[in-house]
Amino acid sequence: MFDRARVVRTVVAVLALGVVGTVLVGTAQQPTSPADIASALVAYYKIGNRPTSITVAELEQRIAHFPDFGEGTIEAMKKAAPIETVSKLVSLKNSKGRNLLSQKQIILLLTFYNLKP
């Protein structure tokens, strides 16, 4: 149902395309190698240093400022914190028993957090 590896590959590909577009628009006269693009992407998002859990502090300091994350979502996530796995993140429900997070929100969180499967 939810293939984390596929989602991560898709997110990285989309982000790489954004970096390529930015680099090509900014430096149209110079071709850019894939290694340069990958280095810029890793440096920008610091992929190797992503937190491995979503804590209450992370929710208050960072995630609360992401677009499309309302107060209700943040409060429900605080009750479930710390969130250390993708399965726990995906299984969060709102007060009506519906999924708390949309697929877009889950992909955004997986971009910035290195959660276990």
Side-chain angles (χ1 to χ4, degrees), residues 4 12 18 41 45 54 61 63 70 81 83 86 98 100:
R4 180 176 186 249
V12 170
L41 183 65
Y45 287 101
I54 300 173
Q61 294 172 358
I63 298 172
I83 301 168
V86 175
R98 295 188 181 131
L100 179 67

Side-chain angles (χ1 to χ4, degrees), residues 37-92:
I37 294 168
S39 294
L41 183 65
V42 169
Y44 184 76
Y45 287 101
K46 298 180 183 171
I47 290 172
N49 298 321
R50 294 181 298 165
T52 57
S53 69
I54 300 173
T55 62
V56 173
E58 289 287 327
L59 286 161
E60 291 173 349
Q61 294 172 358
R62 292 177 184 81
I63 298 172
H65 303 289
F66 287 177
D68 300 328
F69 284 82
E71 284 185 36
T73 302
I74 298 300
E75 289 304 315
M77 289 179 72
K78 283 181 184 178
K79 290 178 185 174
I83 301 168
E84 298 175 336
T85 63
V86 175
S87 58
K88 185 173 182 179
L89 183 68
V90 171
S91 68
L92 292 176

Side-chain angles (χ1 to χ4, degrees), residues 3-46:
D3 184 6
R4 180 176 186 249
R6 184 175 179 197
V7 170
V8 171
R9 284 192 304 265
T10 303
V11 168
V12 170
V14 168
L15 293 174
L17 287 174
V19 171
V20 169
T22 303
V23 169
L24 292 178
V25 168
T27 59
Q29 66 276 15
Q30 285 185 332
T32 306
S33 73
D36 292 340
I37 294 168
S39 294
L41 183 65
V42 169
Y44 184 76
Y45 287 101
K46 298 180 183 171

Side-chain angles (χ1 to χ4, degrees), residues 96-115:
K96 297 178 183 176
R98 295 188 181 131
N99 288 341
L100 179 67
L101 301 168
S102 68
Q103 190 169 7
K104 176 183 171 184
Q105 290 170 317
I106 292 169
I107 290 171
L108 179 65
L109 291 172
L110 292 177
T111 301
F112 294 102
Y113 295 89
N114 188 19
L115 303 180

